[in-house]
Every structure is written in structure tokens, then in C-alpha cells.
Amino acid sequence: MKLSKRDCKNLIDALMEYDEQICPKELKDDEVGLNAERLDDMMRRLIKAAYPKLNTDIRILDNQRRRELRD
């Protein structure tokens, strides 16, 4: 599947809201679902695709940077 920059930005926004409202659950490695580690990895990859010049080495984005990405 190929995602456009707009798709990535929309997913970033939805996942940030998910993280704020429904804290990710804990899962075993073989379980399906979205835990904090998987969320961080997915966010890092989406941000890299949508904002290639932004440093995605940070573990998780703080609330201020999340708001900036939404705008």
C-alpha cells in the first residue's frame, strides 16, 4: 500500500488523538493490536513519510510538537 503525504498526516492526527484518549494497551509480541511500542514505530514511520526533514529519532512526540504537526 502506498500512502500520500496527506494520508500520512491524517493518520498521524488520528493516532495522536487515539494516544491521548485511549492509552495504548500492553500486548505480547505475538498478539495483534496497537501497544505503545508499535504506536511509536508507526508514528515515526508516518512522520518520516509526511515530514522528511523532521528528526524522527525522538521516542515519542511531546504534546506541543503534536499540535504543531496538526496545524
Side-chain angles (χ1 to χ4, degrees):
M1 171 191 317
K2 185 165 179 150
L3 299 173
S4 69
K5 280 189 175 191
R6 184 175 177 93
D7 293 333
C8 291
K9 290 178 181 182
N10 287 333
L11 284 169
I12 290 166
D13 183 63
L15 289 171
M16 287 189 298
E17 195 155 319
Y18 168 83
D19 186 35
E20 292 170 4
Q21 300 296 321
I22 310 171
C23 299
K25 55 187 172 182
E26 291 186 26
L27 298 170
K28 295 179 184 175
D29 289 341
D30 62 341
E31 288 184 296
V32 174
L34 190 61
N35 63 11
E37 183 179 301
R38 293 174 188 172
L39 176 64
D40 286 351
D41 179 57
M42 188 178 303
M43 288 291 287
R44 193 175 299 110
R45 289 185 286 147
L46 286 168
I47 291 166
K48 186 176 180 179
Y51 306 95
K53 295 181 181 179
L54 185 68
N55 180 3
T56 57
D57 291 337
I58 52 178
R59 177 108 171 76
I60 189 83
L61 298 174
D62 60 31
N63 286 334
Q64 180 180 353
R65 182 162 285 161
R66 289 177 181 182
R67 285 188 211 103
E68 289 171 5
L69 290 176
R70 285 184 177 174
D71 297 335

